[in-house]
């Protein structure tokens, strides 16, 4: 493989503690190296920023609900298609781009690892087919466990060994990466026309509470020592006053210590916290509770969060939280799709316009940024938009700009139609913190990589790690206009993915060597779970067990993380 | 105002997509530059000058530019797409998407147009002197934002799904309207001076539809409320006001529920109530004069297909015949 040397760049790397020093980065055989031979191709990065490839911890980019979004929103594709080029295929779409555009746009921003945040196990094959069609970026997918009948029954009977055996079987069968929990119990209760709006609402028929589900899966996750912790979207998303439920959820992890061999320090990841940090008791007195939420997060080192920043765009909401999507369509009267995924989960899709002229949308925008600015440990708070729910991922550079520039935030706050009301309901106007480049590298690279248990593989520039390296044409000390931040992080000068130059001068030049990450967690064979699985398939599932498994040929270039128990 | 005259050299083999024929794109360009603009046919890209001669002169800005299009452009799509100012005049017929996403200025078509004219229009004036087909002033596929402003005038008849998802602006139809008028409307005004066929205002939550020639069959989800005198075109007329669509949600303003309203001119109301008319009564006939005209036209057309004759009848007499009727008519005329 070819060798590269990136010369004289201003390097930010939390993994090795490099804070903006001028350094050379060497790439050899797809890995970061100490030195290279004189034949290495040299790239001049003088006056430019060099970081590791960014790691996306939570994004909806592949699978049936994404595809249904593409199907039922032809207007999202209008005027957005670009013809194929020398190294690219035709690509288009805005909030729900095609698989190709997903790969190209992530790569252009310097992202090299992206996690699909919700995989319904029954449709895991579809998820992997789309992952296979998404070029350049490494991907993994989180199967959803929070409304699964097996999990309910085993947890109800306190059969922890069976829970672990089932988790291991399902991760292997769906080629999944981590335990995702979406509206635990609530999506199942939706089958009865109900919901679980607090973590102590029992699920109909199963008579188990969301708190028991999350606590049980958390315990199983740590007993098994999986690379990632449980990945939670808790109950009562998007409702005024829900921050209390969020804090109740956080407390489930109190005192639990991590157990794994992957360098992960958290036992609980809560995703898109912006949607869970609302005060007030109606849309009229809706307000930010970002401070209360972040005070708790800052004080508890065994948890991580991602932000879920609203970008004020027209987008498409999609989640395995079926009841929430129904609630949303009754609010905005736009088109709606919902699906019940047999024994496993439900899901829904509704288009949504985050309009800056609407008070609630502007407050949501402020809450997302407040969460990022209140964080005391950037290694535990990651930047996301919960793509496409709070905004499309192509807006990340814009969020970086808002987080890094007080000026751009204050300008936005002043431009809102209900500016005074927004300022009164939030704390953003009084916050002058500006995220530094080093903190950005923590929030988008080292942090998420560590939380995913990939700290020795990606998100850093230590010798021996995968050579995911990005060069941005910007110098932290010479920024005159905040718009430069958005421009520079939107189109990287160079992006290397595992040592292959994939983006050069903002153009995709190679489709790289994409991998699919999945976790093979070994547990002792458990004949009861084997029998239960067979019985459930005979009795309830609409498919045969043999048509359920994601067999090897579905998985492009697999990278298996083995976990010994 | 400066005028650019485009003359079509030939009828394209397939359909030509010419979204650059707008005052906004032409403004400030020389005739050479205008000729070099791209047009698409199939998967190929050509120059505008391959299909048109360019004469005259474009103004410095769109508002000072007028485009006159001569020759046969009945197979050219997207004329005046997204225009914001200035004028466009098409001397003959045009194909689909005339004035689509139009935001301002004036667009006049002397002949007829195909479907999707003025979709998602936000402003300006679109005048069609002939007939227009389906989805005039509607929303793009999947979108919930149809026509939002401006004015569309069609002097002849229109096809189905006109003004679906309309939420502002005015559509004025001189002739008849086919089914599914103003489906899912959330505002706006539609005036039908001829007869509206049926399924008018399905899922409409807000907006006004005036039917001067009545509605062939009202939706069952509309309820007669009262009679009202309204001034239209400077003339006071009595209308029966129907409220609906009662199967949908309706917002409130100052304590009053907002309904979609269909106004039916009194006098025609007896024939337009929601009663079910038997099929046989709906048969359409041509007058003797029209039959004679059709017979002579058929001789010129040299073995026309049923669809061609049906189109001829629709375009010239405004009568939408079933293909079986047309085929029977042809054989009777041949004898």
């Amino acid at each position: 493989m070819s060798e590269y040397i990136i010369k004289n760049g201003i390097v930010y790397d939390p993994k090795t503690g490099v804070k903006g020093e001028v350094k050379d980065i060497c790439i050899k055989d797809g890995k970061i190296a100490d030195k290279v031979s004189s034949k290495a191709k040299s790239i001049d990065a003088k006056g430019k920023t060099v970081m590791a490839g960014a790691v996306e911890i939570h994004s909806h980019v592949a699978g049936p609900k994404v595809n249904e979004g593409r199907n039922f929103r032809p207007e999202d594709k209008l005027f957005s298609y670009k013809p194929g080029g020398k190294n690219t295929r035709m690509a288009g779409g805005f909030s729900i781009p095609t698989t190709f555009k997903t790969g190209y746009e992530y790569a252009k921003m310097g992202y090299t690892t992206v996690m699909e945040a919700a995989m319904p196990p029954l449709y895991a094959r579809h998820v992997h087919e789309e992952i296979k069609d998404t070029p350049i970026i490494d991907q993994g997918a989180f199967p959803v466990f929070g409304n699964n009948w097996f999990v309910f029954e085993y947890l109800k009977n306190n059969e922890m060994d069976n829970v672990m055996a089932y988790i291991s079987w399902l991760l292997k069968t769906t080629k999944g990466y981590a335990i995702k929990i979406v509206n635990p119990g609530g999506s199942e209760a939706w089958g009865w026309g109900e919901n679980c709006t607090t973590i102590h609402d029992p699920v109909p028929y199963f008579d188990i509470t969301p708190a028991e589900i999350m606590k049980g899966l958390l315990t199983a996750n740590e007993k098994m020592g999986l690379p990632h912790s449980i990945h939670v979207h808790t109950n009562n998303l998007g409702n005024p006053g829900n921050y209390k439920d969020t804090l109740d959820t956080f407390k489930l992890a109190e005192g639990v210590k991590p157990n794994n061999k992957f360098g992960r320090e958290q036992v609980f990841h809560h995703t898109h916290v912006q949607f869970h940090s609302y005060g007030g008791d109606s849309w009229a007195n809706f307000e930010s509770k970002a401070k209360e939420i972040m005070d708790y997060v800052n004080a508890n080192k065994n948890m991580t969060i991602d932000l879920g920043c609203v970008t004020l765009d027209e987008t498409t909401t999609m989640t395995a939280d079926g009841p929430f999507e129904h609630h949303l369509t009754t609010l905005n009267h736009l088109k709606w799709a919902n699906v019940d995924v047999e024994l496993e989960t439900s899901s829904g899709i509704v288009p949504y316009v985050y309009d800056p002229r609407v008070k609630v949308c502007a407050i949501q925008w402020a809450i997302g940024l407040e969460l990022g600015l209140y964080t005391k440990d950037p290694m535990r708070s990651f930047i996301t938009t919960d793509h496409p729910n709070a905004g499309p991922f192509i807006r990340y550079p814009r969020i970086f700009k808002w987080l890094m520039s007080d000026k751009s935030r204050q300008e936005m706050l002043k431009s809102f139609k209900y500016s005074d009301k927004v300022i009164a309901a939030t704390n953003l106007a009084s916050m002058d913190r500006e995220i530094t480049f080093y903190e950005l590298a923590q929030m988008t690279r080292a942090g998420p990589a560590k939380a995913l248990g990939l700290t020795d593989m990606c998100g850093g520039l230590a010798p021996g790690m995968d050579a995911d390296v990005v060069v941005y044409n910007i110098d932290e000390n010479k920024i005159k206009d905040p718009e430069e931040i958005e421009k520079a992080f939107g189109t990287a000068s160079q992006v290397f993915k595992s040592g292959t130059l994939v983006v050069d001068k903002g153009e995709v030049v190679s489709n790289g060597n994409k991998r699919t990450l999945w976790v093979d967690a070994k547990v002792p064979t458990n004949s009861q779970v084997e029998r239960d699985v067979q019985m459930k398939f005979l009795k309830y599932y609409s498919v045969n067990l043999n048509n359920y498994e994601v067999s090897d040929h579905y998985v492009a270039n697999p990278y298996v993380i083995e976990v010994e128990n | 105002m400066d005028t650019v005259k485009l003359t079509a050299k030939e009828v394209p083999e397939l359909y030509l997509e010419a979204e650059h024929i707008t005052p906004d794109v032409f403004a400030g360009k020389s005739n050479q530059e205008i000729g070099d603009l791209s047009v698409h046919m199939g998967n190929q890209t050509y120059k505008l000058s391959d299909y048109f001669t360019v004469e005259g002169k474009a103004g410095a800005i769109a508002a000072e530019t007028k485009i006159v299009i001569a020759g046969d452009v009945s197979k050219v799509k997207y004329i005046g797409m997204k225009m914001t100012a200035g004028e466009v005049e098409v001397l003959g017929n045009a194909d689909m998407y005339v004035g689509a996403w139009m935001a301002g200025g004036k667009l006049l078509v002397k002949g007829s147009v195909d479907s999707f004219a003025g979709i998602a229009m936000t402003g300006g004036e679109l005048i069609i002197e002939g007939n227009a087909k389906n989805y005039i002033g509607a929303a793009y596929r999947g979108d919930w934002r149809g026509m939002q402003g401006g004015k569309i005038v069609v002097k002849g008849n229109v096809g189905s799904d006109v003004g679906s998802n309309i939420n502002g602006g005015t559509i004025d139809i001189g002739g008849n309207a086919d089914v599914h008028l103003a489906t899912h409307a959330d505002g706006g005004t539609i005036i039908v001076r001829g007869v509206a066929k049926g399924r008018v205002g399905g899922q409409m939550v807000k907006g006004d539809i005036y039917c001067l020639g009545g509605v062939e069959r009202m939706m069952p989800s509309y309820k007669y409320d009262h009679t009202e005198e309204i001034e239209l075109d400077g003339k006071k007329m009595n209308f029966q006001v129907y409220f609906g669509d009662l199967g949908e949600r309706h917002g409130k303003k100052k304590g009053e529920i907002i309904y979609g309203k269909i106004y039916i001119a009194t006098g025609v109301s007896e024939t337009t109530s929601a009663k079910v008319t038997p099929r046989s009564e709906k048969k359409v006939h041509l007058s003797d004069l029209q039959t004679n005209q059709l017979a002579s036209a058929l001789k010129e057309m040299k073995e026309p297909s049923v669809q061609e004759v049906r189109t001829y009848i629709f375009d010239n007499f405004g009568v939408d015949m079933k293909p079986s009727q047309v085929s029977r008519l042809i054989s009777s005329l041949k004898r």
Side-chain angles (χ1 to χ4, degrees):
Chain A
M1 269 183 114
S2 45
E3 296 175 293
Y4 290 95
I5 178 161
I6 300 160
K7 280 192 166 163
N8 299 321
I10 309 160
V11 179
Y12 296 87
D13 181 33
K15 174 80 182 166
T16 52
V18 180
K19 290 188 182 179
E21 293 164 32
V22 175
K23 267 186 74 172
D24 295 348
I25 299 290
C26 302
I27 298 173
K28 190 180 179 184
D29 298 334
K31 304 272 181 198
I32 307 282
D34 283 323
K35 58 179 190 292
V36 282
S37 68
S38 57
K39 284 181 202 154
K41 279 184 210 155
S42 168
I43 285 172
D44 180 22
K46 191 161 186 280
K48 294 181 181 178
T49 295
V50 176
M51 290 184 185
V55 179
E56 166 73 282
I57 199 163
H58 187 106
S59 178
H60 301 274
V61 285
K65 68 182 180 309
V66 183
N67 208 41
E68 183 52 29
R70 294 184 189 114
N71 273 339
F72 100 145
R73 289 207 65 199
E75 75 277 11
D76 187 73
K77 308 180 185 80
L78 187 62
F79 304 129
S80 71
Y81 268 79
K82 267 193 191 157
K86 201 175 143 204
N87 302 297
T88 54
R89 296 186 39 169
M90 178 179 263
F94 176 71
S95 65
I96 22 179
T98 60
T99 51
F100 297 105
K101 187 167 178 178
T102 303
Y104 303 147
E105 293 296 329
Y106 262 121
K108 280 184 191 172
M109 297 190 308
Y111 278 75
T112 48
T113 309
V114 175
M115 290 294 166
E116 157 58 45
M119 168 161 73
L122 182 62
Y123 301 118
R125 287 184 174 189
H126 186 167
V127 175
H128 282 283
E129 279 165 339
E130 287 200 19
I131 285 180
K132 197 173 181 176
D133 267 355
T134 308
I136 304 174
I137 50 178
D138 283 353
Q139 281 178 291
F142 306 157
V144 288
F145 283 88
N147 292 283
N148 190 300
W149 290 13
F150 294 92
V151 173
F152 286 174
E153 284 170 3
Y154 294 145
L155 282 178
K156 185 75 201 163
N157 300 333
N158 213 5
E159 299 163 351
M160 197 47 79
D161 285 345
N162 292 351
V163 176
M164 294 196 295
Y166 178 73
I167 291 170
S168 159
W169 175 79
L170 198 70
L171 285 176
K172 195 170 178 173
T173 305
T174 62
K175 303 290 184 278
Y177 190 85
I179 298 173
K180 175 73 188 294
I181 302 167
V182 181
N183 190 359
S187 299
E188 178 57 34
W190 180 230
W192 276 263
E194 293 176 26
N195 195 358
C196 298
T197 51
T198 77
I199 64 165
H200 302 298
D201 285 0
V203 184
Y205 177 72
F206 292 98
D207 200 28
I208 186 169
T209 64
E212 288 164 354
I213 299 166
M214 287 187 279
K215 186 80 189 175
L217 287 169
L218 188 153
T219 312
N221 195 98
E222 295 316 309
K223 271 191 160 179
M224 291 170 80
L226 298 181
H228 190 32
S229 62
I230 55 167
H231 193 107
V232 177
H233 148 166
T234 195
N235 307 75
N236 210 14
L237 174 142
N239 285 326
N242 66 4
Y243 81 104
K244 288 188 191 129
D245 303 304
T246 313
L247 289 174
D248 285 348
T249 308
F250 287 174
K251 283 174 191 149
L252 294 173
E254 225 157 62
V256 184
K257 290 204 164 53
N259 165 41
N260 65 91
K261 292 171 187 153
F262 299 92
R264 159 173 69 86
E265 287 178 16
Q266 93 279 16
V267 298
F268 182 91
H269 178 83
H270 200 294
T271 187
H272 43 68
V273 177
Q274 179 270 128
F275 287 119
H276 301 269
S277 309
Y278 299 161
D281 52 26
S282 75
W283 296 113
N285 61 9
F286 177 70
E287 60 175 346
S288 165
K289 289 287 178 190
K291 184 158 194 312
E292 284 77 357
I293 292 286
M294 285 316 290
D295 282 347
Y296 187 92
V297 173
N298 286 332
N300 288 274
K301 298 229 177 296
N302 66 348
M303 63 174 300
T304 56
I305 61 153
D306 65 77
L307 309 181
C309 290
V310 166
T311 64
L312 300 174
D313 284 292
E314 178 184 323
T315 190
T316 315
T317 65
M318 49 180 65
T319 164
D321 190 343
F324 171 73
E325 291 291 355
H326 177 254
H327 173 64
L328 195 62
T329 190
T330 60
L331 284 178
N332 75 357
H333 307 298
L334 298 184
K335 50 191 170 181
W336 160 60
N338 249 140
V339 162
D340 170 46
V341 187
E342 307 195 2
L343 287 63
E344 297 169 349
T345 182
S346 66
S347 82
I349 315 166
V350 174
Y352 200 82
V353 184
Y354 289 99
D355 189 336
R357 289 169 300 184
V358 175
K359 188 188 83 174
V360 170
C361 297
I363 296 175
Q364 288 178 311
W365 168 83
I367 295 173
L369 299 177
E370 282 180 7
L371 291 168
L373 297 169
Y374 274 126
T375 189
K376 284 195 177 135
D377 184 359
M379 284 297 282
R380 295 193 291 116
S381 304
F382 318 131
I383 299 170
T384 64
T385 62
D386 186 20
H387 164 84
N389 287 312
F393 70 81
I394 49 168
R395 294 292 189 231
Y396 280 159
R398 197 167 285 179
I399 294 167
F400 301 166
K401 174 185 78 181
W402 287 326
L403 287 172
M404 286 177 171
S405 157
D406 186 39
K407 191 179 145 216
S408 69
R409 289 199 298 268
Q410 303 303 341
E411 275 171 15
M412 278 295 285
L413 272 175
K414 277 186 208 116
S415 72
F416 292 136
K417 186 178 174 190
Y418 295 105
S419 183
D420 295 344
K421 286 183 178 171
V422 173
I423 290 169
T426 61
N427 301 314
L428 194 64
S430 63
M431 301 177 81
D432 58 1
R433 180 175 177 187
E434 295 188 335
I435 298 290
T436 64
F437 275 30
Y438 186 76
E439 286 167 335
L440 182 79
Q442 289 178 306
M443 293 170 94
T444 56
R445 284 144 169 96
K450 186 171 179 182
L452 287 167
L454 296 172
T455 189
D456 292 327
M457 183 174 135
C458 59
L461 296 172
M465 290 175 76
D466 281 355
D468 301 337
V469 189
V470 193
V471 182
Y472 294 111
N473 189 8
I474 190 165
D475 181 341
E476 188 175 11
N477 299 317
K478 289 181 185 164
I479 300 169
K480 290 193 191 77
D481 181 4
E483 298 305 318
E484 291 171 29
I485 301 172
E486 187 178 339
K487 188 164 173 279
F489 284 99
T491 346
S493 298
Q494 276 88 21
V495 179
F496 292 89
K497 159 73 183 58
S498 305
T500 309
L501 184 64
V502 288
V503 173
D504 192 15
K505 298 184 184 76
E507 294 296 320
V508 173
V509 293
S510 161
N511 283 305
N513 44 10
K514 181 214 178 61
R515 292 176 300 191
T516 305
L517 314 177
W518 68 274
V519 171
D520 187 3
K522 295 188 171 58
V523 294
T525 44
N526 184 320
S527 51
Q528 193 197 328
V529 171
E530 280 171 18
R531 189 183 160 278
D532 287 350
V533 167
Q534 277 180 349
M535 287 307 291
K536 281 269 193 308
F537 270 85
L538 277 173
K539 229 172 152 178
Y540 298 121
Y541 268 100
S542 65
V543 300
N544 190 309
L545 187 53
N546 295 332
N547 293 329
Y548 184 82
E549 191 195 359
V550 177
S551 38
D552 289 341
H553 71 275
Y554 277 95
V555 184
N557 202 4
Y559 182 90
V560 189
I561 297 171
E562 293 189 352
V563 184
E564 302 292 337
N565 196 337
Chain B
M1 182 172 280
D2 295 310
T3 304
V4 180
K5 188 174 183 190
L6 297 180
T7 310
K9 290 180 187 170
E10 55 174 308
V11 179
E13 193 186 348
L14 302 173
Y15 288 86
L16 208 60
E17 293 173 16
E19 73 267 26
H20 293 318
I21 305 184
T22 73
D24 299 76
V25 178
F26 279 20
K29 288 196 169 66
S30 70
N31 287 1
Q32 175 73 35
E33 286 168 330
I34 290 171
D36 286 344
L37 290 168
S38 63
V39 291
H40 306 281
M41 187 165 71
N43 60 1
Q44 303 293 310
T45 303
Y46 299 91
K47 285 201 286 191
L48 192 65
S49 57
D50 294 340
Y51 286 92
F52 292 92
T53 57
V54 185
E55 294 162 296
K57 181 173 165 288
I61 55 167
E64 288 168 12
T65 304
K66 179 175 178 176
I67 304 171
V68 177
I69 306 169
D72 188 350
V73 288
S74 58
K75 286 177 90 174
V76 180
K77 297 178 199 282
Y78 297 109
I79 292 171
M81 174 168 132
K82 292 184 178 173
M83 67 183 276
T84 63
E87 282 185 40
V88 177
E89 194 175 321
V90 184
L91 300 177
N93 300 335
D95 198 55
M96 294 182 182
Y97 292 101
V98 174
W101 297 281
M102 184 173 170
K106 190 178 167 189
L107 204 164
L108 171 68
V109 182
K110 297 252 185 184
S112 297
V113 299
D114 208 298
S115 304
F116 302 112
I119 67 164
M121 179 169 168
T122 55
E125 210 179 342
L126 170 60
I127 301 162
I128 293 147
E129 298 202 333
N131 300 321
K133 283 200 181 150
N134 313 326
Y135 290 101
I136 309 304
Y140 181 72
R141 280 288 149 93
D143 209 327
W144 58 92
R145 291 153 294 201
M147 183 177 181
Q148 291 152 68
K151 189 172 185 184
I152 299 178
V153 179
V154 183
K155 297 202 173 154
N157 302 320
V158 294
S160 64
D161 297 277
V162 169
S164 62
N165 288 288
I166 182 173
N167 61 16
T170 306
I171 303 178
D172 189 336
I173 300 152
N176 305 328
D178 206 337
V179 292
H180 292 304
L181 185 71
T183 305
H184 226 299
D186 200 355
T189 306
I190 299 180
I191 303 162
V192 186
R193 292 172 195 278
V195 180
K197 197 163 183 186
R199 281 164 261 176
V200 176
Q203 294 188 303
M204 176 160 82
V205 294
K206 209 171 117 191
D208 301 306
I209 306 174
Y210 297 87
C211 299
L212 273 58
V215 178
E216 257 184 34
R217 192 190 298 173
M218 283 288 283
M219 297 257 295
S221 52
Y222 275 79
K223 195 177 138 213
Y224 169 74
D225 194 72
H226 64 280
T227 307
E228 202 176 323
E229 195 181 47
I230 294 166
E231 200 178 305
L232 201 73
D233 308 328
K235 206 167 67 179
K236 283 198 172 166
M237 292 170 82
N238 277 317
F239 286 97
Q240 295 190 327
V241 187
Y242 285 78
F243 282 180
D245 181 323
L246 300 178
E248 288 294 301
R249 74 188 158 95
H250 288 281
K252 267 189 183 173
K253 199 175 180 185
K254 288 178 187 161
E256 260 187 62
I257 301 174
I258 309 289
Y259 288 104
K261 289 175 189 160
I262 301 181
Y263 300 80
I264 296 173
T266 41
V268 293
S269 60
E270 284 78 14
T271 55
T272 59
S273 58
K275 69 185 172 201
V276 178
T277 45
R279 249 165 195 281
S280 55
E281 279 180 37
K282 287 181 73 197
K283 234 179 200 173
V284 283
H285 291 289
L286 299 179
S287 68
D288 291 349
L289 197 71
Q290 288 170 332
T291 316
N292 290 342
Q293 189 188 332
L294 181 67
S296 56
L298 278 180
K299 275 174 202 157
E300 283 171 35
M301 282 161 91
K302 283 177 201 159
E303 296 192 6
S305 71
V306 171
Q307 191 54 36
E308 276 166 3
V309 178
R310 194 173 166 228
T311 312
Y312 180 86
I313 293 170
F314 183 75
D315 286 349
N316 286 276
F317 312 133
V319 178
D320 187 5
M321 281 185 141
K322 289 202 179 74
S324 56
Q325 280 181 299
V326 176
S327 119
R328 255 177 274 139
L329 191 63
I330 296 172
S331 47
S332 74
L333 286 174
K334 271 185 185 163
R335 272 185 266 122

